[in-house]
């Protein structure tokens, strides 16, 4: 009943589309999509990778702006801005929304976000990232696309594809969906699991007794078996110390067997193979990155996804007319936050004299709140436009000086002198 209530809350007003049929794809692939990762997300290393990307991507700030002749203008008192930057839906914050989106994107190479429209005002009420076991792509007689979702409790809903924000990764062989990770990562995951298993076995066998018992005197088979079983149970099966004690009736002869295990370099190799699937390294995972490493991580992993999401949100949240007037969704990220204080000072020293930063922007770089009147730009008087440099230095422009020289020359030719 709880799922039914949540289903109704999200899709309650969604109409049914009956005159739709399965979409016929050009490459012959089925129109059905089943999210599958080969249980990759259940692996600790894979989850660490996805969680690292999600945590950093959660710092992004979706924002509604208007672009006019290349200039970005903020939209004041905009409800869409509040929805995207604070609470995209009643169940999650903006950061949680982005983190869930990223988790699905990198786990399944597909991520779907449902746009809930207000049927009375035509405005956006909420956006929900969708998790589901089955999706079918359909079309109507006029070739409009639809997505029919089947959820875990058997509930089904059909949604116009234009009401979905759909981001894809490894978008190659399929015409609509990104390729999954199951075949690509299975070999590297198997190697990593084998390394872990070898370490566990090495720990278990480190103190284990391996050998045979030699009886000094003859014993009946049933007595021999009893002594043997007692010895194994006491000293071989559960013996953290690796030490045993015997009387003079039996001798223990150890069998030396060299146990080959993976070394640390092989463990690092197995992990690095997984990291490469996500464009990461150990320093990024552990939070020990340098400025250059984070810049590379941002530009190669975070920024491409941010561009995809911004473009898809712009296309799906605005009409063609609204896009024509410059309405756009961007994802902002203050890349200066991860820089050292020394690097921040260098940036400020470079941009402040030319008016490149306001007072509040400077304070934001160093983590301070803005102040009243802090949006004013400070400009050094040591800079001047190239065409105004003569006026700045002498108080006269080039034309006036040139005119004076010509007058003087003409006076000399006429035999007159300038009074001193």
């Amino acid at each position: 009943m709880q799922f039914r209530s949540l289903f109704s809350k999200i899709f309650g007003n969604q109409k049914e589309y009956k005159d739709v049929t399965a979409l016929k794809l050009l490459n012959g692939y089925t129109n059905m999509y089943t999210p599958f990762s080969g249980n990759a997300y259940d692996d600790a290393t894979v989850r660490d990778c996805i969680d690292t990307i999600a945590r950093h991507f959660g710092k992004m700030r979706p924002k509604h702006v208007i672009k006019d002749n290349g200039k970005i203008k903020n939209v004041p008192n905009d409800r869409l801005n509040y929805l995207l930057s604070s609470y995209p839906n009643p169940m999650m914050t903006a950061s949680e929304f982005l983190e869930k989106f990223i988790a699905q994107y990198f786990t399944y190479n597909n991520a779907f976000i449902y746009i809930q429209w207000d049927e009375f005002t035509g405005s956006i009420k909420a956006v929900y990232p969708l998790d589901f076991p089955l999706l079918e792509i359909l079309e109507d007689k006029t070739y409009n696309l639809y997505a029919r979702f089947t959820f875990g409790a058997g509930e089904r809903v059909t949604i116009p594809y234009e009401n979905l924000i759909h981001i894809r990764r490894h978008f190659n062989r399929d015409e609509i969906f990104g390729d999954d990770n199951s075949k690509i990562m299975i070999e590297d995951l198997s190697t990593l699991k084998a390394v872990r298993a070898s370490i566990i076995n090495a720990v278990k066998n480190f103190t284990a007794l391996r050998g045979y018992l030699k009886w000094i005197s003859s014993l009946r088979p049933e007595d021999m078996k009893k002594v043997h079983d007692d010895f194994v149970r006491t000293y071989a099966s559960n013996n953290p110390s690796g030490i045993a004690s015997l009387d003079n009736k039996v001798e223990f002869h150890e069998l030396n067997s060299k146990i080959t295990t993976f070394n640390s370099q092989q463990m690092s190799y197995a992990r690095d193979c997984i990291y490469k699937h996500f464009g990461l390294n150990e320093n990024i995972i552990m939070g020990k990155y340098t400025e250059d490493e984070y810049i590379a991580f941002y530009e190669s992993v975070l920024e491409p996804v941010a561009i995809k999401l911004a473009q898809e949100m712009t296309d799906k949240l605005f009409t063609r007319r609204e896009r024509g007037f410059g309405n756009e969704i961007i994802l902002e990220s203050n890349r200066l936050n991860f820089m050292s204080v020394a690097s921040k000072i260098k940036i400020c020293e470079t941009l402040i004299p030319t008016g490149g930063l306001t007072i509040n922007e400077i304070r934001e770089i160093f983590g301070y709140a803005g102040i009243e009147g802090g949006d004013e730009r400070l400009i050094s008087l040591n800079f001047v436009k190239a065409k105004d440099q003569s006026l700045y230095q002498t108080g006269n422009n080039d034309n006036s000086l040139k005119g004076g020289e010509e007058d003087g020359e003409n006076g000399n030719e006429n035999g007159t002198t300038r009074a001193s």
Side-chain angles (χ1 to χ4, degrees), residues 16-34:
E16 284 295 327
Y17 298 89
K18 298 180 179 179
D19 296 330
V20 291
T21 58
L23 176 65
K24 297 179 181 179
L25 302 177
L26 296 176
N27 58 17
Y29 282 79
T30 178
N31 69 316
M32 294 186 178
Y33 167 70
T34 302

Side-chain angles (χ1 to χ4, degrees), residues 48-334:
D48 287 342
C49 292
I50 294 175
D51 180 67
T52 297
I53 300 173
R55 283 186 287 106
H56 288 282
F57 198 87
K59 301 175 185 177
M60 296 276 190
R61 292 176 293 181
K63 190 175 183 181
H64 173 206
V65 299
I66 295 178
K67 284 190 176 180
D68 183 16
N69 294 325
K71 297 181 179 179
I72 297 179
K73 299 180 180 179
N74 294 324
V75 183
N77 302 321
D78 182 46
R79 185 182 180 279
L80 179 59
N81 251 334
Y82 175 80
L83 184 143
L84 294 178
S85 62
S86 300
Y87 287 92
N89 61 68
M91 294 181 293
M92 58 189 71
T93 64
S95 295
E96 292 169 339
F97 170 82
L98 293 176
E99 288 177 7
K100 186 174 180 62
F101 157 79
I102 284 293
Q104 293 179 333
Y105 176 76
F106 281 96
T107 301
Y108 306 123
N109 292 336
N110 288 275
F112 293 86
I113 299 172
Y114 170 62
I115 307 170
Q116 187 184 61
W117 296 93
D118 190 313
E119 60 181 336
F120 299 106
T121 64
S123 61
I124 299 173
K125 292 178 62 176
V127 286
Y128 293 88
L130 299 181
D131 193 10
F132 53 89
L134 179 64
L135 166 62
E136 304 168 76
I137 298 297
L138 311 171
E139 64 177 346
D140 60 17
K141 295 180 180 179
T142 56
Y143 309 107
N144 295 311
L145 295 185
Y146 299 83
R148 177 179 290 161
F149 292 92
T150 301
F151 296 95
E155 299 283 359
R156 295 204 313 177
V157 64
T158 303
I159 301 170
Y161 188 75
E162 63 183 11
N163 285 356
L164 290 171
I165 296 170
H166 179 197
I167 308 295
R168 299 160 282 202
R169 183 171 176 249
H170 299 324
F171 185 32
N172 181 22
R173 290 176 294 188
D174 199 282
E175 296 171 53
I176 295 179
F177 309 113
D179 296 338
D180 64 56
N181 291 321
S182 57
K183 296 180 180 178
I184 301 299
M185 297 185 63
I186 187 170
E187 183 176 347
D188 292 329
L189 284 172
S190 298
T191 302
L192 185 60
K193 289 178 181 178
V195 173
R196 290 171 178 159
S198 68
I199 294 175
I200 294 173
N201 291 333
V203 172
K204 289 181 178 179
N205 295 327
F206 182 75
T207 58
L209 291 174
R210 293 180 178 272
Y212 63 90
L213 297 174
K214 180 180 180 181
W215 309 101
I216 304 301
S217 59
S218 299
L219 292 177
R220 292 181 302 173
E222 56 270 21
D223 294 336
M224 187 181 301
K225 183 177 185 308
K226 182 179 182 304
V227 174
H228 169 272
D229 292 344
D230 290 342
F231 181 86
V232 171
R233 183 171 56 255
T234 305
Y235 299 113
S237 300
N238 186 20
N239 183 19
S241 66
I243 300 173
S245 60
L246 296 170
D247 58 18
N248 59 1
K249 295 179 181 179
V250 64
E251 295 178 354
F252 176 77
H253 293 266
E254 182 182 4
L255 293 177
N256 292 322
S257 58
K258 185 178 180 181
I259 302 175
T260 303
T261 61
F262 287 90
N263 55 36
S264 59
Q265 292 181 342
Q266 291 169 320
M267 186 65 174
S268 297
Y269 169 79
R271 280 199 302 255
D272 287 342
C273 288
I274 302 297
Y275 292 161
K276 289 177 182 177
H277 283 288
F278 300 96
L280 304 176
N281 59 41
E282 186 175 1
N283 287 343
I284 296 294
I285 296 290
M286 300 298 294
K288 301 184 296 183
Y289 46 79
T290 63
E291 292 179 24
D292 291 339
E293 286 176 330
Y294 192 90
I295 291 173
F297 166 60
Y298 179 89
E299 294 181 347
S300 62
V301 179
L302 301 181
E303 191 174 39
V305 185
I307 293 173
K308 282 185 183 181
L309 181 58
Q311 291 176 343
E312 179 72 353
M313 294 181 81
T314 297
D315 183 65
K316 298 297 177 65
L317 298 183
F318 300 113
T319 64
R320 180 177 296 182
R321 177 180 173 84
E322 289 172 333
R323 295 196 300 271
F325 281 104
N327 288 277
E328 188 173 327
I329 300 296
I330 63 174
L331 270 78
E332 290 184 328
S333 176
N334 191 346

